[in-house]
Amino acid sequence: MKLAILTLYLLALLSSTTAKVEEENPEFWRAQGAKALQAALDRKLNTGVAKNIMLFLGDGMGVTTITAARILKGQMNNQSGEETVMTMDTFPHAGLVKTYSVDFQIPDSSSTATAYLCGVKTNLNTVGVNAAGRNGICKTQKGNEVTSILKWAKDAGKSVGFVTTTRVQHATPAAVYAHSVSRKWYSDADVPASAKKEGCTDIASQLLGNMDIDVIIGGGRKYMTPKGTRDPEYPQDLASRGKRVDGRDLITEWQKMKVGKVARYVWNRTDFDAVDPDTTDYLMALFEPGDMRYDVERDPTMDPSIAETTEKAIRILSKNPKGFFLLVEGGRIDQGHHASRASMALHETVALDDAVTKGLEMTKEEETLTLVTADHSHAFSFNGYPFRGQNILGKSPLYGKDMLPYTTLMYGNGPGYKVVDNKRPDIRNVDTTSNDYVQLAAVPLDTETHGGEDVVVLARGPMAHLFHGVQEQSYLAHAMAYAACVGRDLRHCGHTLQSSTNNDGRNTAPSVVSSISLVPALLTGLLAVFLH
């Protein structure tokens, strides 16, 4: 009984130190609710035609990732974190998206990209083809190709481009321009001989041959050059050398295709910064042999951030009086999760939000439809009753039944499974906030898997209200196309622009979080009774 009383006292004491004074006053919450309500009442729908479309795609950015990244972003600015407002949080319209592929409950990034870019759901590991295309079977590809909304926008006279933190041949950007029954056929060296005989080509070569893309930014140099070609940045690294066995130099070919136009190819920060958007018609920037580096490991003297590449892309594309379509992918959110390195995934999400901020700064809401969404989620959980303001990458104040701590963020499966002799590792003296820390997982796998729950789509600008309710992922392409009057459904053409009122505000009030010494062993037993 005495232990229970002591535990309750400690819990009350500790929790009271985390509360901000104004939050104890009910009028604080009433005023906040009234302000949000009035903003919703004052908002007017913009039913005009979208001149521009910006699609920000967080690969693997499920709702849990957004929530955790929001807290991290606030804590990076010395705030508690929970009340932080990310730029994507300010979008006035939202809906949920069902992500399953035609053949699997839980999808991959190529099947999902085909859905939201091409408007057609398809099978796992296939890109730019409908569900009649079978994974890895070349003969099922011909006649089943589907085109993307970037192709529709280009055909309507708009400029188009994409920015990614992965290789430009990766699943998400590949759906922009490629048709392949295998997302893994990055270069011709990856295509089986039998598939080549049947007429299938690699994704990198399709980047040149399938459509005219104004801006291409990401990694992936080694899939563009002949086998053994030394990489300009890592000349001694064998893994970074060219992969193509057909002897083609696709970078040189791309430059030769742009006769009469100013086409710039760059691979480093210095040359990238020297690109003048006002005089540049085409830009191909490939900053790494493969995927770009995680943002926290990026050398800023060599590689720009995703916000900086987004800015350059918009400056080039926005010269077109007919407008543009830009896809911006935070692709390494997904890779951070697969490695069960939550810190990496969350920092990548924060970087993507910075790119959203930059995109909004450079465009007008009344003429630009902007979306933020994800292709799928991950087996990623946020758990354990942490105190307000506690480090999102830290440990829960509660211990498990084995009297050992666990982290607030964990994975359902992955490389973090570390049970030995039926015992979890003792992480009391482990720095779980390290960028290299691998969160614990319940099931042992070499790489953590995707999650199957719905993902959110956030929207602002012309026809943003179309992104509502619970929709199939393939709906997104059709709604974007309708808003911009491109593609098949042209009923929206001729609508005049109507300004929307958006009174969303940001809560920038500072927060004070005390440094708390927790007593997890005492709290665990009693809280288990009260909270379950």
Side-chain angles (χ1 to χ4, degrees):
M1 184 66 180
K2 291 181 179 179
L3 178 59
I5 295 174
L6 175 61
T7 303
L8 284 173
Y9 172 76
L10 288 171
L11 178 60
L13 177 65
L14 292 171
S15 62
S16 67
T17 62
T18 65
K20 295 186 292 185
V21 174
E22 65 267 25
E23 292 182 357
E24 297 178 354
N25 184 349
E27 288 305 316
F28 170 81
W29 301 107
R30 290 168 182 155
Q32 188 178 89
K35 181 179 179 181
L37 174 61
Q38 194 59 50
L41 292 170
D42 292 343
R43 186 173 300 119
K44 297 178 181 179
L45 298 183
N46 180 346
T47 59
V49 175
K51 175 183 177 181
N52 312 310
I53 296 180
M54 296 190 298
L55 173 58
F56 291 88
L57 191 285
D59 196 317
M61 189 180 69
V63 173
T64 304
T65 300
I66 293 175
T67 302
R70 177 190 302 127
I71 295 173
L72 175 64
K73 188 167 187 175
Q75 293 179 346
M76 290 168 64
N77 292 308
N78 298 315
Q79 297 176 343
S80 168
E82 298 83 4
E83 74 287 353
T84 299
V85 179
M86 294 203 295
T87 298
M88 66 178 75
D89 294 336
T90 66
F91 284 39
H93 299 279
L96 291 176
V97 176
K98 296 187 284 185
T99 64
Y100 67 91
S101 64
V102 169
D103 55 347
F104 279 82
Q105 285 183 344
I106 297 179
D108 75 319
S109 296
S110 59
S111 59
T112 51
T114 303
Y116 62 77
L117 290 174
C118 304
V120 175
K121 285 211 170 192
T122 191
N123 297 320
L124 206 74
N125 291 325
T126 65
V127 60
V129 296
N130 61 40
R134 299 291 189 263
N135 180 23
I137 304 176
C138 177
K139 63 182 180 182
T140 66
Q141 182 175 305
K142 187 175 181 180
N144 293 318
E145 297 89 350
V146 291
T147 57
S148 76
I149 187 173
L150 274 78
K151 177 68 163 58
W152 313 340
K154 188 69 176 184
D155 289 344
K158 296 182 184 295
S159 294
V160 299
F162 66 84
V163 169
T164 180
T165 55
T166 65
R167 68 206 82 170
V168 299
Q169 306 86 1
H170 210 253
T172 299
V176 168
Y177 59 86
H179 315 289
S180 179
V181 288
S182 175
R183 57 173 286 186
K184 300 291 187 180
W185 293 348
Y186 301 122
S187 79
D188 67 319
D190 303 312
V191 183
S194 59
K196 291 178 181 178
K197 289 180 180 179
E198 293 174 347
C200 284
T201 58
D202 63 281
I203 293 171
S205 64
Q206 294 186 53
L207 178 59
L208 274 64
N210 285 1
M211 66 173 290
D212 188 30
I213 305 173
D214 302 278
V215 174
I216 300 166
I217 301 177
R221 292 191 295 256
K222 64 184 179 181
Y223 304 108
M224 307 289 282
T225 56
K227 185 176 181 179
T229 302
R230 289 176 180 267
D231 186 80
E233 189 173 359
Y234 313 104
Q236 304 305 318
D237 182 16
L238 295 178
S240 298
R241 293 185 179 180
K243 300 295 183 183
R244 304 196 64 81
V245 295
D246 59 6
R248 295 176 66 185
D249 184 333
L250 299 182
I251 295 171
T252 301
E253 289 185 24
W254 177 84
Q255 291 172 311
K256 290 180 179 179
M257 292 171 61
K258 309 303 180 185
V259 177
K261 299 291 185 178
V262 178
R264 297 289 306 276
Y265 166 72
V266 300
W267 61 268
N268 60 70
R269 176 63 178 263
T270 300
D271 291 343
F272 177 77
D273 288 346
V275 172
D276 182 357
D278 293 334
T279 60
T280 300
D281 300 311
Y282 293 91
L283 173 63
M284 178 185 286
L286 304 179
F287 293 106
E288 290 291 332
D291 298 323
M292 293 183 68
R293 295 182 180 275
Y294 285 112
D295 193 63
V296 296
E297 296 177 341
R298 176 176 58 86
D299 180 354
T301 66
M302 290 298 296
D303 301 334
S305 68
I306 188 173
E308 292 169 324
T309 52
T310 297
E311 177 180 4
K312 184 79 76 173
I314 293 173
R315 291 194 184 281
I316 294 173
L317 298 174
S318 61
K319 299 196 303 291
N320 188 336
K322 293 185 178 181
F324 66 86
F325 191 111
L326 175 64
L327 167 67
V328 178
E329 184 202 18
R332 301 216 67 187
I333 299 170
D334 177 72
Q335 294 175 1
H337 279 317
H338 280 309
S340 295
R341 297 167 68 187
S343 178
M344 289 303 195
L346 299 188
H347 279 95
E348 290 295 299
T349 306
V350 172
L352 178 65
D353 194 58
D354 292 340
V356 175
T357 303
K358 179 58 66 175
L360 298 187
E361 289 175 354
M362 300 181 64
T363 55
K364 298 177 181 179
E365 181 174 355
E366 62 267 21
E367 65 179 19
T368 304
L369 172 63
T370 305
L371 302 184
V372 178
T373 190
D375 48 0
H376 55 73
S377 184
H378 275 267
F380 183 51
S381 66
F382 179 11
N383 66 106
Y385 304 110
F387 289 104
R388 176 76 178 273
Q390 187 169 322
N391 193 315
I392 189 64
L393 297 170
K395 307 175 185 75
S396 170
L398 304 183
Y399 279 16
K401 291 179 66 176
D402 55 4
M403 299 310 295
L404 292 174
Y406 57 92
T407 53
T408 299
L409 302 176
M410 300 177 70
Y411 291 91
N413 57 57
Y417 180 87
K418 299 173 183 176
V419 175
V420 178
D421 295 331
N422 205 32
K423 293 182 180 179
R424 295 189 301 121
D426 185 349
I427 60 171
R428 281 177 291 183
N429 297 318
V430 175
D431 180 11
T432 62
T433 68
S434 166
N435 292 328
D436 295 323
Y437 180 73
V438 175
Q439 264 71 17
L440 298 181
V443 176
L445 289 176
D446 290 334
T447 179
E448 178 265 357
T449 72
H450 296 166
E453 69 270 26
D454 298 349
V455 296
V456 69
V457 56
L458 305 166
R460 58 175 270 168
M463 304 306 292
H465 56 283
L466 294 180
F467 301 90
H468 71 291
V470 181
Q471 306 289 349
E472 295 287 358
Q473 196 164 40
S474 51
Y475 169 78
L476 300 188
H478 300 287
M480 287 188 289
Y482 179 86
C485 194
V486 301
R488 292 185 176 186
D489 191 341
L490 303 180
R491 289 177 295 165
H492 193 44
C493 297
H495 281 236
T496 57
L497 294 177
Q498 297 181 10
S499 298
S500 60
T501 301
N502 186 345
N503 292 328
D504 288 331
R506 297 192 183 189
N507 179 6
T508 57
S511 62
V512 179
V513 182
S514 301
S515 175
I516 304 169
S517 175
L518 303 177
V519 191
L522 292 176
L523 297 178
T524 298
L526 193 61
L527 280 181
V529 175
F530 283 98
L531 296 173
H532 293 281

